[in-house]
Amino acid sequence: MNKNKEELLNKLKQLENDYNTQVSEIKKQIKECDNKVPIEECDKKVWKPNKGDKYYLIAYTGGILDFHFNNDNYDNKIIDFGNCFETKEEAKRKRFEIRLHRQLELFALENNETEINWNDNSEKYMISYNRDGGLFIDEVYSLKDFGQVYFASKEVARKAIETFKDDLIRYFRSNK
């Protein structure tokens, strides 16, 4: 085979490879588009302030502050962090959730006799809620839920329920 023909065949093969790669990439992008929620739907679900709108945030001291949205760097950092609320009540609710979660974490750290080991199938305990039966202790072995506080024993979980009962019921009974 002459050298010129061989070069042309190599170029053709490279073009075919490039073409197939581009087709695969475009198909992948189309599939990703199908799996995404349209921006218009997201915008309906998540409140974002317009210029001049009042919004609320949780201050580092736990106080609730209100500001008017100017679409500046400060405002956008607050939104990006997730500390922007449409109402004072929403901000208070989130502050309550953050505080209760942290109190439970500290309670577990102070009262768990042993460190929880997620590399074995030992028992771990968490506080759950059933709207018909109220608060109860759930036993888990290898399941780890996002945001859940775990206890090393039933006794520590029971003590946490006694200590935080009213706040736990308030948390679980809210609609959010």
Side-chain angles (χ1 to χ4, degrees):
M1 183 181 304
N2 75 33
K3 191 173 181 176
N4 192 24
K5 185 176 180 181
E6 190 175 321
E7 286 177 11
L8 289 171
L9 287 171
N10 285 337
K11 283 183 180 181
L12 180 61
K13 189 170 187 164
Q14 183 61 44
L15 282 171
E16 286 175 339
N17 287 338
D18 291 346
Y19 171 80
N20 290 333
T21 301
Q22 288 180 357
V23 167
S24 294
E25 182 60 32
I26 290 170
K27 284 181 179 180
K28 181 181 167 188
Q29 290 174 3
I30 289 169
K31 190 173 183 179
E32 287 175 3
C33 287
D34 289 341
N35 293 332
K36 291 182 182 175
V37 176
I39 291 174
E40 304 79 43
E41 285 184 39
C42 290
D43 288 345
K44 291 176 188 173
K45 294 178 184 179
V46 178
W47 178 80
K48 292 180 182 168
N50 294 310
K51 194 162 177 95
D53 286 350
K54 183 188 268 191
Y55 70 91
Y56 298 85
L57 64 87
I58 304 167
Y60 68 93
T61 58
I64 305 297
L65 304 175
D66 63 272
F67 290 94
H68 287 278
F69 186 73
N70 293 311
N71 200 23
D72 60 18
N73 194 35
Y74 180 78
D75 289 333
N76 290 310
K77 283 182 179 181
I78 289 167
I79 289 172
D80 289 345
F81 188 74
N83 193 13
C84 177
F85 303 94
E86 185 175 9
T87 67
K88 192 172 190 174
E89 291 71 30
E90 286 177 272
K92 285 180 178 180
R93 169 72 187 159
K94 183 50 73 179
R95 176 183 63 189
F96 166 74
E97 291 173 3
I98 292 167
R99 183 171 166 83
L100 177 59
H101 189 270
R102 186 61 179 148
Q103 287 174 323
L104 286 168
E105 285 179 325
L106 294 173
F107 186 90
L109 286 170
E110 291 173 3
N111 292 278
N112 283 342
E113 302 85 24
T114 60
E115 188 173 328
I116 293 177
N117 182 356
W118 288 101
N119 295 320
D120 66 16
N121 282 334
S122 63
E123 298 168 333
K124 295 111 179 133
Y125 302 90
M126 63 185 202
I127 300 169
S128 295
Y129 180 79
N130 179 314
R131 71 172 186 243
D132 298 326
L135 298 168
F136 65 96
I137 298 167
D138 216 356
E139 189 174 291
V140 297
Y141 295 89
S142 58
L143 174 73
K144 190 173 186 182
D145 289 333
F146 179 79
Q148 183 62 264
V149 176
Y150 295 92
F151 303 92
S153 69
K154 271 188 180 177
E155 294 73 32
V156 176
R158 191 173 292 115
K159 190 175 171 185
I161 288 174
E162 291 170 10
T163 304
F164 300 102
K165 185 176 183 175
D166 293 340
D167 285 340
L168 287 164
I169 289 172
R170 177 179 161 201
Y171 169 81
F172 284 116
R173 286 189 178 164
S174 79
N175 289 330
K176 300 227 176 192

